[in-house]
Amino acid sequence: MPKTYTTVQGDTWDTIAKTVYGKEANIGILMAANFPLLDVFMFDAGETVVVPELPEDTTDDTTPEWRTET
C-alpha cells in the first residue's frame, strides 16, 4: 500500500513536499502522483495525498558543487 499524507489546513504542494521529502524540490514527484488534486492550491484539513517513493539519486558526480543543493 502506498504511503499517504493527511493534509492540515493551509498546506500547499511545496509545504507538503518539504514535510514528506525534506525539500521542496521534489514537488513534481508529489504532484505527478496526485493528478486528481492538481487544481488545489491550498488544501483543507483531512485531504489524503499519495506520497510515492523518491527515485534513486541520479546526481551526476561531474556537477559543479555550486550547482548542487545543500
Side-chain angles (χ1 to χ4, degrees):
M1 175 166 263
K3 292 182 182 180
T4 60
Y5 171 81
T6 303
T7 61
V8 295
Q9 181 68 37
D11 269 344
T12 59
W13 288 107
D14 56 338
T15 60
I16 296 169
K18 176 79 171 175
T19 299
V20 299
Y21 294 130
K23 58 183 175 179
E24 297 165 343
N26 295 318
I27 190 172
I29 294 167
L30 190 62
M31 293 176 82
N34 292 279
F35 186 77
L37 300 174
L38 289 183
D39 289 339
V40 178
F41 175 72
M42 189 173 294
F43 287 89
D44 292 329
E47 291 282 341
T48 300
V49 176
V50 174
V51 179
E53 294 291 323
L54 290 175
E56 289 187 35
D57 186 14
T58 57
T59 304
D60 182 353
D61 289 340
T62 62
T63 303
E65 185 175 332
W66 61 269
R67 295 215 53 198
T68 59
E69 291 185 6
T70 56

